[in-house]
Amino acid sequence: MAELNVFKTVTHSVQNSLTSVYTAPANYTGIVLSTQVTNVSDSTHTLTFTYQDSASGAATEILSQFSIPGRDALGATSGKLVVTTGGILKMSSSGTDKLKAVVGILESLNG
């Protein structure tokens, strides 16, 4: 029997092209509880953070080229973010491996 609620922590080293951070699995809705992004370099880098409702869906920017100063951090989500089954969160940065993300997610069984 599938679990009703599953807590997950996803870590991601942000690349300079849009890459998947999280995809809500079949039969579950992902509820993003928090998204922390840290700039581990001494220089300012930008973050683009998007949501797609499917692999072929259009991307909607949550943050677009948002500047994060060196050795600083950002709470990239304010409140909860619902990711429906098959929905995808993606991130990119102006520098490879300069931004590190930690995403707290509650996956809730549908229906």
Side-chain angles (χ1 to χ4, degrees):
M1 184 168 161
E3 292 184 68
L4 180 61
N5 293 307
V6 179
F7 286 95
K8 290 194 172 181
T9 301
V10 176
T11 60
H12 183 72
S13 184
V14 185
Q15 304 302 304
N16 63 359
S17 62
L18 218 50
T19 55
S20 290
V21 175
Y22 172 75
T23 302
N27 302 316
Y28 281 88
T29 295
I31 302 162
V32 177
L33 304 173
S34 66
T35 307
Q36 293 296 122
V37 181
T38 302
N39 183 343
V40 297
S41 77
D42 292 324
S43 304
T44 297
H45 288 281
T46 60
L47 171 70
T48 296
F49 182 27
T50 66
Y51 171 76
Q52 290 176 249
D53 62 4
S54 67
S56 61
T60 300
E61 289 82 5
I62 297 166
L63 294 170
S64 180
Q65 298 182 358
F66 189 90
S67 292
I68 304 174
R71 305 289 172 204
D72 205 350
L74 165 72
T77 50
S78 172
K80 311 300 182 271
L81 175 64
V82 175
V83 181
T84 55
T85 298
I88 305 165
L89 296 176
K90 293 183 177 183
M91 290 183 181
S92 69
S93 170
S94 58
T96 299
D97 296 329
K98 304 301 182 188
L99 302 180
K100 309 287 183 175
V102 178
V103 185
I105 301 165
L106 168 61
E107 291 180 341
S108 185
L109 186 64
N110 295 338

